[in-house]
Amino acid sequence: GQQVMQIPQYQHVQEGEDFTTYCNSSTTLSNIQWYKQRPGGHPVFLIQLVKSGEVKKQKRLTFQFGEAKKNSSLHITATQTTDVGTYFCAGTGNQFYFGTGTSLTVIP
Amino acid sequence: DGGITQSPKYLFRKEGQNVTLSCEQNLNHDAMYWYRQDPGQGLRLIYYSQIVNDFQKGDIAEGYSVSREKKESFPLTVTSAQKNPTAFYLCASSIATRQGAFGYTFGSGTRLTVV
């Protein structure tokens, strides 16, 4: 069945470095959502993208939906220790699926 | 404040025992969901409900059961038929009945351990 794949699975960065996680689907998605889960916490909805090529920003976070609506990315500029956590994408193709997540560690 | 409340936060189950996880929301959301999360893995859908007195199986429904007698409540029972129940269970709700149409609000989760 349709799945949403995310890479990388883990990422360690020095505080102040940038970070990007990628989400890929084998089928066209009608929308893509991004969530953040802090260690020991629960996923929190960040944003939804629906248009081809759409780009949205939330402070240091930039979210992009690919032109073909099969991929998406989340980019964090100048990471901070508060950015630590697992970032999940979730997309609607034939069904709605969560990606496998990217665990971000920020080294002070 | 509106939100989703899951209880208990931690639950220990003996082999062969059924346990029920509680999920209550006061967001007036129509749709509710149960997900299972295993260490280092994503979220897998167990059951979902789009309306009171109706629910559908997700990808990993075997060994689980649910009910939706009230809009606010969607309890999950982990039965003895579930072979590997140790996991983090997350309840979610959404204002839209179509899966993924709008963002999900998650509860704080229940960590279930088989002893």
Side-chain angles (χ1 to χ4, degrees):
Chain A
Q2 174 235 326
Q3 289 187 3
V4 176
M5 307 303 295
Q6 232 178 306
I7 55 171
Q9 188 174 3
Y10 302 98
Q11 184 79 59
H12 292 71
V13 299
Q14 205 74 33
E15 188 173 17
E17 291 182 341
D18 292 356
F19 160 77
T20 304
T21 174
Y22 301 90
C23 187
N24 297 292
S25 171
S26 56
T27 60
T28 302
L29 302 172
S30 59
N31 65 348
I32 194 89
Q33 297 175 2
W34 285 93
Y35 294 78
K36 176 182 179 181
Q37 184 176 20
R38 294 183 185 274
H42 58 277
V44 174
F45 174 73
L46 295 177
I47 206 162
Q48 176 167 275
L49 307 173
V50 296
K51 297 178 182 177
S52 169
E54 188 171 11
V55 177
K56 287 188 177 180
K57 292 189 176 184
Q58 290 180 350
K59 297 183 180 179
R60 295 178 293 104
L61 277 61
T62 301
F63 305 85
Q64 188 166 11
F65 201 6
E67 294 288 344
K69 301 184 77 173
K70 287 186 175 182
N71 54 71
S72 180
S73 65
L74 159 58
H75 179 83
I76 302 178
T77 303
T79 55
Q80 299 175 359
T81 54
T82 53
D83 295 324
V84 165
T86 301
Y87 293 85
F88 291 97
C89 63
T92 303
N94 296 327
Q95 295 183 57
F96 180 65
Y97 280 108
F98 279 84
T100 48
T102 295
S103 176
L104 172 64
T105 299
V106 179
I107 304 164
Chain B
D1 289 336
I4 297 183
T5 302
Q6 286 188 245
S7 63
K9 190 170 183 178
Y10 300 95
L11 186 58
F12 297 89
R13 191 196 92 170
K14 293 181 180 179
E15 297 268 1
Q17 203 175 41
N18 292 356
V19 291
T20 298
L21 282 57
S22 170
C23 178
E24 303 277 335
Q25 56 103 354
N26 60 4
L27 299 165
N28 199 33
H29 285 175
D30 286 311
M32 296 187 75
Y33 306 86
W34 275 104
Y35 283 90
R36 169 178 172 146
Q37 186 175 34
D38 293 283
Q41 297 192 30
L43 306 177
R44 293 185 291 168
L45 183 63
I46 304 173
Y47 267 99
Y48 65 98
S49 170
Q50 297 167 310
I51 197 169
V52 174
N53 291 324
D54 187 50
F55 47 83
Q56 307 294 329
K57 291 182 179 180
D59 299 315
I60 56 167
E62 186 174 352
Y64 301 97
S65 66
V66 293
S67 63
R68 187 89 186 274
E69 296 177 2
K70 299 185 301 180
K71 187 175 185 178
E72 302 79 16
S73 179
F74 192 40
L76 173 74
T77 297
V78 184
T79 75
S80 56
Q82 170 47 238
K83 300 303 179 189
N84 184 22
T86 295
F88 187 42
Y89 290 88
L90 288 158
C91 179
S93 71
S94 176
I95 195 168
T97 54
R98 182 166 61 87
Q99 286 189 58
F102 287 94
Y104 288 7
T105 300
F106 282 88
S108 55
T110 294
R111 294 190 184 277
L112 174 62
T113 304
V114 174
V115 296

